């Protein structure tokens, strides 16, 4: 039951991303708003790099395992 909820959660989080970002940034004024925007961008960049790195590891580790296992 819980696993079937994950696609819906991901869909709504992605579809409401811009609205949530705008609403979050409205909590800050002036210079703090630009700092918050930069912080959000940094978090997004780190999360993207993490997912891409995990994807590459998921591709490379089985490949190297098959090549060097001696089977």
């Amino acid at each position: 039951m819980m696993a079937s909820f994950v696609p819906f959660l991901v869909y709504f989080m992605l579809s409401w991303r811009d609205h949530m970002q705008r609403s979050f940034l409205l909590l800050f004024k002036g210079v703090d708003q630009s700092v918050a925007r930069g912080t959000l961008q940094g978090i997004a960049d780190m999360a993207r790099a993490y997912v891409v790195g995990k994807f590459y590891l998921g591709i490379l580790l089985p490949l190297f395992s098959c090549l060097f296992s001696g089977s």
Side-chain angles (χ1 to χ4, degrees), residues 2 4 10-13 18 25 28-31 34-36 39 41-42 44 48 54-55 61-62 64 67-68 70-71:
M2 194 180 295
S4 66
V10 169
Y11 170 77
F12 284 111
M13 286 179 70
D18 296 332
L25 290 175
F28 302 97
K29 302 288 185 223
V31 177
S34 63
V35 170
T39 301
Q41 186 61 46
R48 188 174 299 112
K54 288 295 182 179
F55 175 77
L61 287 178
F64 287 147
L67 290 174
F68 298 114
S71 297

Side-chain angles (χ1 to χ4, degrees), residues 13 15-28 33-34 36-42 44:
M13 286 179 70
S15 66
W16 282 67
R17 180 183 61 189
D18 296 332
H19 174 72
M20 290 186 341
Q21 183 179 6
R22 268 187 268 117
S23 298
F24 177 74
L25 290 175
L26 287 176
L27 296 172
F28 302 97
Q33 192 175 46
S34 63
R37 181 177 284 115
T39 301
L40 281 177
Q41 186 61 46

